[in-house]
């Protein structure tokens, strides 16, 4: 099949390229724009309590003001606020509201803090529905510029914090980060490919070809989202870029290394490309199938953000696979050996390389290498026991000198940290009657006694008097672990148990949404991961025609995942003393480390089977496979890890965690899991690894030899120096 595909592409390269250009143009011109949402609540199913509470709010309190920003006032000398200072704060708030700044509904001065150090003004803004709408950020920027002259002649200093202010500061910080990451990604790919192949043509090939298919993949995803009414997470575009460049560069490398190997064996350029597609086609198709299945398993998630992310990334990988099997061979077959220009090193294989020595050592002592690599990954996996999820992405990622962070710190001098984003408790009568004042007052008293609650406002009644809204300010920042514990373990149980007879209590707000997301993510881990693992095992079983190999291949992937999560937890939580890791990090690691790690495993085990079919013993096959596939997997791993590592240039902890975990995980997958553990274990298991299909049997009738290899085989010279 793949041999026929290779011949078809090589004979008609211009037609293949033209077909891709036309298809890309059609998709890009006809597809709708890819839209996204960053409203976490919009991704939760309706049965979660925070969503039911939001429904009550919209039905009974549609005009309930949303706290978009908070102006934090204090004396410039750090002293206690006076009556004159409070009068100035009232005047400043009135003047700011009078300016009629778009998106600013009201600027309402609040009470002085009990210790007289801080006073706030709440900036009411409409609920944000479009994550790409920056109008509220523009409003905060205007407020900040107008606030400075208003403070002249007073003894006050002030700063603006809150969700809109943090979004503005995060946007400013991410502009530089985005530029660094984008430029860094391209530079790393080009530089590493130049080092590996010494050819500017190959260095630019992934950038040009992926630049063509990237908007095509985005267009197909946007069309699918529109057709099936799916919502995309706001981070999908960045993830798409990484997937396309990462997977695309991998597949291009797999093809080019095999193409170069065929040329060194004496084949002409056209035949060499057909040979490369034939030998690599099945491996990268199976690898892509495993990645697509892993991504598609996310459709089982209860979170909308993951359900939409899975098909989107699966579409991107499928388009990349088609390009790897058709567009890339077509372009390279036109260039021929000029693709390696000006280097001549493609004509000869280096002798005594590190990969050849590693292969020889694994062939001689597979048990030691399997044990050492397993212990290494297992030891790191123990660090995953200390993993904690962190939802405070803005607070942990923004530089501490940003105005929103400075103002938040000043706010906490006099008020509970949860002032910036209160939690709401809704008490609703279930018998269609109104709520007596005595019952709501008693209920408020019970809420006020909850540990972790700073203050509870007097109830606000709906028009029919059947629902009361309580604004609950938590003592801790809304997205912190302590705030989540307060809502989950204390506030919700008290609200449910102490709700008067004939009423129902619901707890909502941002902190409650995070509590429910955490619950949904825990559920998804128990469903999505096993289903994805089972599906990948089925693909491995079909590819290898074996019931044995898929088990230890998935074991190696699990060890790689655990080692990555453990190393990241140790570095950022224990050494770096951060409160936790980004709550979506295990899912993102699953998407990339597990799926792409399976890619490398498939490439290695396919080569192991190929070498066994040539009549080599299991030990010799492992050594030869490491020698030939090691450079491919190593180069792909270094380039992909380098690409992910550019995220650490962004300068905030969230992207640093993502950059480190993904780059470390890819290196583990390439250099420990696929290059050492898998071939060593396959050599130990021997012929039984391919049971019951015996896919390692030599074509033509003669089976593989048994016994321990000595570094040579009957069909050729010793693998440590063979051509």
């Amino acid at each position: 099949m793949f041999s026929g595909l290779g011949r078809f592409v090589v004979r008609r390269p211009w037609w293949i390229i033209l077909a891709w250009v036309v298809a890309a143009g059609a998709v890009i011109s006809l597809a709708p724009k890819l839209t996204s949402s960053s409203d976490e609540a919009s991704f939760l199913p309706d049965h979660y309590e925070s969503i039911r509470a939001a429904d009550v709010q919209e039905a009974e309190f549609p005009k309930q003001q949303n706290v978009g920003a908070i102006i934090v006032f204090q004396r410039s000398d750090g002293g206690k606020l006076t009556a004159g200072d409070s009068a100035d704060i009232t005047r400043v708030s009135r003047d700011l509201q009078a300016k009629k700044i778009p998106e600013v509904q009201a600027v309402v001065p609040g009470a002085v803090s009990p210790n007289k150090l801080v006073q706030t003004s709440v900036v009411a803004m409409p609920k944000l529905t479009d994550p790409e709408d920056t109008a509220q950020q523009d409003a905060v920027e205007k407020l900040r510029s107008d606030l400075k002259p208003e403070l002249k002649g007073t003894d006050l200093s002030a700063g603006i914090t809150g969700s809109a202010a943090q979004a503005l500061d995060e946007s400013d910080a991410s502009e530089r980060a985005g530029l660094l990451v984008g430029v860094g990604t391209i530079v790393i790919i080009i530089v590493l490919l130049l080092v590996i192949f010494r050819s500017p043509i190959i260095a630019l090939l992934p950038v040009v070809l992926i630049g063509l298919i990237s908007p095509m993949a985005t267009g197909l995803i946007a069309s699918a989202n529109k057709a099936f009414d799916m919502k995309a997470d706001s981070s999908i575009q960045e993830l798409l870029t990484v997937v396309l460049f990462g997977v695309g560069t991998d597949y291009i490398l797999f093809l080019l290394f095999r193409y170069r190997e065929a040329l060194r064996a004496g084949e002409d350029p056209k035949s060499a490309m057909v040979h490369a597609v034939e030998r690599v086609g099945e491996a990268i198709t199976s690898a892509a199938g495993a990645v697509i299945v892993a991504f598609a398993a996310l459709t089982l998630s209860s979170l909308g953000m993951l359900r939409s992310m899975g098909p989107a990334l699966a579409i991107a990988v499928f388009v990349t696979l088609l390009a790897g099997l058709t567009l890339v061979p077509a372009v390279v077959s036109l260039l021929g050996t000029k693709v390696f220009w000006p280097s001549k090193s493609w004509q000869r294989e280096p002798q005594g390389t590190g990969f050849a020595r590693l292969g020889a050592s694994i062939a001689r002592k597979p048990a030691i290498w399997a044990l050492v690599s397993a212990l290494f990954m297992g030891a790191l996996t123990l660090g995953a026991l200390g993993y904690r999820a962190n939802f405070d992405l803005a607070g942990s990622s923004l530089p501490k000198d940003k105005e929103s962070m400075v103002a938040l710190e000043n706010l906490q001098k006099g008020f509970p940290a949860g002032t910036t984003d209160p939690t709401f408790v809704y008490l609703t009568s279930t018998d269609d009657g109104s709520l007596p004042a005595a019952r709501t007052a008693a209920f408020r008293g019970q809420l006020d006694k909850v540990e972790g609650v700073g203050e509870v406002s007097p109830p606000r009644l709906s028009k029919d008097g059947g629902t009361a809204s309580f604004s609950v300010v938590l003592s801790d920042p809304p997205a912190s672990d302590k705030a989540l514990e307060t809502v989950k373990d204390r506030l919700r149980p008290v609200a449910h148990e102490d709700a008067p007879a004939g009423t129902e209590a619901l707890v909502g707000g941002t902190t409650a949404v995070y509590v429910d997301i955490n619950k949904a993510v825990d559920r998804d881990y128990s469903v999505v991961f096993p289903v994805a693992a089972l599906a990948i095992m089925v693909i491995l079983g079909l590819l290898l025609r074996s019931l044995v190999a898929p088990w230890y291949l998935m074991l190696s992937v699990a060890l790689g995942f655990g080692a990555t999560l453990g190393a990241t937890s140790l570095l950022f939580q224990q050494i770096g003393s951060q409160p936790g890791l980004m709550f979506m990090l295990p899912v993102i690691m699953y998407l990339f480390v597990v799926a792409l790690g399976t890619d490398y495993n498939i490439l290695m085990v396919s080569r192991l089977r190929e070498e066994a079919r040539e009549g080599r013993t299991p030990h010799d096959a492992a050594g030869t496979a490491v020698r030939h596939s090691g450079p491919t997997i190593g180069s792909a791993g270094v380039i992909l890890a380098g690409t992910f590592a550019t995220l650490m240039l962004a300068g905030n902890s969230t992207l640093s965690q993502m950059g480190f975990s993904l780059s470390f995980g890819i290196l583990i997958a390439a250099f420990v899991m696929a290059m050492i553990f898998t071939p060593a274990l396959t050599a130990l298991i021997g012929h039984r690894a391919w049971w019951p299909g015996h896919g390692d049997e030599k074509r033509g009738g003669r089976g593989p030899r048994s016994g321990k290899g000595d570094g040579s085989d009957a069909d050729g010279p010793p693998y440590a120096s063979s051509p």
Side-chain angles (χ1 to χ4, degrees):
M1 172 183 171
F2 291 102
S3 176
L5 176 63
R7 286 192 296 271
F8 178 83
V9 171
V10 167
R11 289 171 183 170
R12 300 169 180 85
W14 285 112
W15 286 106
I16 297 294
I17 296 171
L18 179 62
W20 270 95
V21 172
V22 171
V27 170
I28 295 169
S29 61
L30 298 176
K33 181 181 179 183
L34 180 62
T35 57
S36 60
S37 173
S38 60
D39 180 10
E40 293 87 354
S42 68
F43 294 109
L44 277 169
D46 294 339
H47 67 270
Y48 280 96
E49 183 173 344
S50 59
I51 305 304
R52 292 162 56 205
D55 292 339
V56 171
Q57 183 264 314
E58 291 184 9
E60 304 296 340
F61 305 95
K63 295 183 179 180
Q64 181 172 295
Q65 291 182 335
N66 176 58
V67 180
I70 295 179
I71 307 174
V72 182
F73 296 92
Q74 60 181 350
R75 284 186 61 86
S76 302
D77 58 10
K80 293 185 177 182
L81 294 166
T82 65
D85 294 329
S86 293
D88 286 334
I89 292 171
T90 301
R91 175 189 58 79
V92 169
S93 301
R94 184 177 60 248
D95 291 347
L96 289 175
Q97 182 169 332
K99 293 180 182 294
K100 303 294 184 182
I101 299 172
E103 295 294 305
V104 176
Q105 297 174 324
V107 183
V108 183
V112 182
S113 65
N115 59 10
K116 306 291 185 182
L117 294 178
V118 180
Q119 187 172 347
T120 64
S121 283
V122 174
V123 181
M125 295 181 175
K127 185 178 180 180
L128 186 65
T129 56
D130 182 3
E132 297 183 2
D133 185 0
T134 60
Q136 293 191 3
Q137 297 178 35
D138 297 337
V140 171
E141 193 169 22
K142 183 73 166 82
L143 281 170
R144 285 175 174 173
S145 64
D146 290 346
L147 180 60
K148 293 179 181 178
E150 291 287 345
L151 295 176
K152 288 184 179 179
T154 70
D155 296 322
L156 300 170
S157 63
I160 302 180
T161 187
S163 58
Q166 287 187 338
L168 173 63
D169 290 341
E170 195 168 7
S171 176
D172 291 341
S174 64
E175 284 183 8
R176 173 177 172 273
L179 179 62
L180 284 173
V181 171
V183 173
T185 298
I186 301 299
V187 168
I188 281 181
I189 289 176
I190 291 175
V191 169
L192 290 177
L193 285 175
L194 276 173
V195 171
I196 294 168
F197 288 99
R198 301 179 182 87
S199 166
I201 297 176
I202 291 179
L204 294 173
L205 193 63
V207 177
V208 174
L209 296 184
I210 295 170
L212 171 66
I213 67 174
S214 178
M216 183 179 178
T218 302
L220 289 173
I221 292 165
S223 299
N225 284 356
K226 183 178 180 180
F228 297 100
D229 192 26
M230 295 187 297
K231 295 179 180 179
D233 177 58
S234 57
S235 63
I236 189 65
Q237 192 62 61
E238 289 75 13
L239 288 175
L240 280 175
T241 300
V242 175
V243 166
L244 287 166
F245 272 96
V247 175
T249 302
D250 273 6
Y251 293 168
I252 290 173
L253 281 176
F254 294 167
L255 192 73
L256 285 176
F257 270 100
R258 203 55 188 258
Y259 177 59
R260 187 176 67 178
E261 184 180 330
L263 290 173
R264 286 172 174 170
E267 297 192 40
D268 65 89
K270 299 290 185 182
S271 300
M273 180 51 66
V274 173
H275 175 89
V277 173
E278 177 188 6
R279 292 302 178 96
V280 176
E282 183 181 24
I284 66 172
T285 300
S286 301
V291 175
I292 289 171
V293 164
F295 289 165
L298 290 175
T299 56
L300 300 174
S301 170
S302 59
L303 286 175
M305 70 178 78
L306 296 183
R307 283 202 307 273
S308 62
M309 185 185 297
L313 297 177
I315 290 172
V317 173
F318 180 72
V319 173
T320 306
L321 172 65
L322 290 181
L325 292 175
T326 58
L327 180 61
V328 177
V331 172
V332 175
S333 66
L334 283 175
L335 295 172
T337 58
K338 294 185 181 67
V339 75
F340 299 106
W341 180 88
S343 173
K344 300 293 186 182
S345 60
W346 62 270
Q347 298 175 347
R348 60 192 180 280
E349 181 179 357
Q351 301 298 311
T353 65
F355 293 106
R357 291 193 294 272
L358 175 63
S361 182
I362 290 175
R364 289 193 300 269
K365 302 175 181 178
I368 293 178
W369 281 104
L371 180 62
V372 169
S373 57
L375 289 176
F376 174 73
M377 291 188 287
L380 287 177
T381 299
L382 295 177
L385 299 176
Y387 163 76
R388 295 188 303 274
N390 177 31
F391 289 85
D392 188 13
L393 302 187
S396 62
S397 63
L398 277 175
K400 299 303 180 184
D401 59 350
K402 286 291 184 181
E403 182 174 332
S404 60
M405 300 306 295
V406 174
L408 178 61
E409 186 177 352
N410 291 333
L411 175 70
Q412 295 176 25
K413 294 177 182 178
F415 290 104
T419 303
T420 58
D421 199 347
T423 293
F424 289 94
V425 179
Y426 299 99
L427 185 67
T428 303
S429 173
T430 57
D431 54 12
D432 297 327
S434 60
L435 295 171
R439 300 177 79 183
T440 57
F443 183 67
R444 177 192 176 195
Q446 294 300 317
L447 297 179
D448 203 29
K449 294 178 183 178
V450 173
E451 180 186 351
V453 169
E455 60 184 30
V456 182
S457 68
R460 178 185 175 189
L461 293 177
S462 60
K463 286 184 178 181
D464 62 2
T467 302
S469 170
F470 300 84
S471 177
V472 180
V473 175
L474 303 178
S475 303
D476 302 292
S480 65
D481 285 344
K482 290 184 178 179
L484 268 66
E485 289 174 4
T486 296
V487 170
K488 177 186 175 183
D489 299 332
R490 295 185 290 276
L491 182 60
R492 272 185 173 170
V494 167
H496 296 162
E497 294 168 7
D498 292 344
T503 65
E504 179 188 35
L506 296 173
V507 180
T510 300
T511 305
V513 168
Y514 284 141
V515 169
D516 290 340
I517 287 179
N518 200 13
K519 182 179 179 181
V521 168
D522 288 342
R523 175 263 178 199
D524 290 347
Y525 289 162
S526 65
V527 174
V528 175
F529 284 15
V531 169
L534 180 61
I536 291 174
M537 286 183 67
V538 170
I539 290 177
L540 290 172
L542 293 174
L543 168 67
L544 304 174
R545 298 165 183 82
S546 166
L547 295 178
V548 177
W551 286 98
Y552 67 82
L553 291 178
M554 290 308 299
L555 171 64
S556 70
V557 169
L559 283 172
F561 175 83
T564 302
L565 182 59
T568 308
S569 299
L570 289 172
L571 179 63
F572 288 95
Q573 292 181 188
Q574 305 300 324
I575 300 175
S577 300
Q578 292 190 12
L581 302 181
M582 180 181 66
F583 74 98
M584 287 289 289
L585 193 60
V587 176
I588 294 173
M589 285 170 48
Y590 156 76
L591 290 174
F592 294 107
V593 176
V594 172
L596 295 178
T598 302
D599 266 15
Y600 298 150
N601 255 349
I602 288 176
L603 188 71
M604 177 58 75
V605 81
S606 296
R607 189 63 188 241
L608 282 164
R609 182 183 60 180
E610 183 180 330
E611 297 301 332
R613 284 174 173 175
E614 293 297 323
R616 292 184 171 85
T617 67
H619 288 229
D620 289 345
T624 309
V626 170
R627 174 195 168 194
H628 285 299
S629 293
T632 309
I633 295 173
S635 300
V638 168
I639 290 175
L640 193 56
T643 301
F644 284 129
T646 59
L647 293 173
M648 301 177 70
L649 299 173
N652 70 65
S653 62
T654 298
L655 290 179
S656 293
Q657 290 175 11
M658 192 184 302
F660 171 81
S661 63
L662 296 182
S663 57
F664 184 84
I666 291 299
L667 292 176
I668 286 286
F671 289 94
V672 180
M673 185 180 79
M675 206 176 299
I676 297 176
F677 185 78
T678 293
L681 205 54
T682 303
L684 281 175
I685 298 173
H687 184 52
R688 292 183 297 274
W690 311 99
W691 182 87
H694 304 308
D696 62 329
E697 291 182 349
K698 184 177 180 181
R699 293 169 180 173
R702 194 182 67 175
R705 297 178 305 172
S706 60
K708 183 177 178 180
D710 59 2
S712 62
D713 60 78
D715 299 320
Y719 58 75
S721 59
S722 62

